[in-house]
Amino acid sequence: GAGVSQSPSNKVTEKGKDVELRCDPISGHTALYWYRQSLGQGLEFLIYFQGNSAPDKSGLPSDRFSAERTGGSVSTLTIQRTQQEDSAVYLCASSRPGQPRDTQYFGPGTRLTVL
Amino acid sequence: GNSVTQMEGPVTLSEEAFLTINCTYTATGYPSLFWYVQYPGEGLQLLLKATKADDKGSNKGFEATYRKETTSFHLEKGSVQVSDSAVYFCALGNSGGSNYKLTFGKGTLLTVNP
């Protein structure tokens, strides 16, 4: 079966532009998570979706970051007015009902470079 | 808050050598502990987990024991292979209601030479 997929795999943008990163979770996985991995840092939690709602957005670093999930499936992470410090690998993960939510399946990530 | 500290790499070993990657943590409550592996060009994969003190997680010849007294979860393998070359991440899950919020270490790059 297909794993978590993310697109694009790489994105280079100019400072000040908006970007959208996409995550397609494993079919049937109701929970979805976004993480960020900055150079030399571990992964930081950004946001958690259960279905289409986001009960925990506590990791979003600023109001330039937003995310939505439609149809209980695909999620989009949007970064407005990108800054150089937004350069990182953005990882998406999902988990299925009936398993502990800390058992997460990760996608390959989107590497974002802000020039 | 929760934190994970793992040994900095890179670690370079010869094939069949013994591997230890140290991991210690700070957390409240009784979190689950994990090791994830990221092979070149691939996403993170769960390697093993342990959910309570003295549990041993194991997979693919790797082992780690949840040591509450030393707040550690060191990863070991008796004989590494070239195919084990990857980045290894130690992580913990929050205890309680927000158990989905994983906290990761910075990762340790392992290179195994033939």
Side-chain angles (χ1 to χ4, degrees), chain B residues 5 23-27 33 66-74:
Chain B
T5 303
C23 172
T24 57
Y25 67 91
T26 303
L33 299 174
Y66 190 141
R67 300 287 188 200
K68 190 163 177 62
E69 64 275 15
T70 54
T71 61
S72 65
F73 193 55
H74 304 321

Side-chain angles (χ1 to χ4, degrees), chain A residues 23-76:
Chain A
C23 171
D24 203 340
I26 295 171
S27 178
H29 283 204
T30 54
L32 185 147
Y33 319 85
W34 283 97
Y35 291 84
R36 176 171 75 171
Q37 183 179 18
S38 304
L39 187 64
Q41 301 296 317
L43 283 78
E44 307 169 79
F45 167 83
L46 297 179
I47 188 168
Y48 155 56
F49 284 93
Q50 182 61 47
N52 291 337
S53 64
D56 189 344
K57 307 179 183 179
S58 63
L60 294 179
S62 75
D63 59 8
R64 296 185 297 103
F65 287 72
S66 63
E68 65 176 13
R69 190 178 185 198
T70 55
S73 183
V74 172
S75 175
T76 303

Side-chain angles (χ1 to χ4, degrees), chain B residues 23-70:
Chain B
C23 172
T24 57
Y25 67 91
T26 303
T28 55
Y30 302 93
S32 295
L33 299 174
F34 306 84
W35 278 99
Y36 279 83
V37 59
Q38 186 171 31
Y39 298 103
E42 298 184 15
L44 282 172
Q45 300 175 24
L46 178 62
L47 180 60
L48 53 85
K49 69 182 284 188
T51 58
K52 62 183 187 297
D54 300 324
D55 265 4
K56 178 184 286 187
S58 61
N59 187 24
K60 300 183 181 180
F62 291 89
E63 293 183 341
T65 301
Y66 190 141
R67 300 287 188 200
K68 190 163 177 62
E69 64 275 15
T70 54

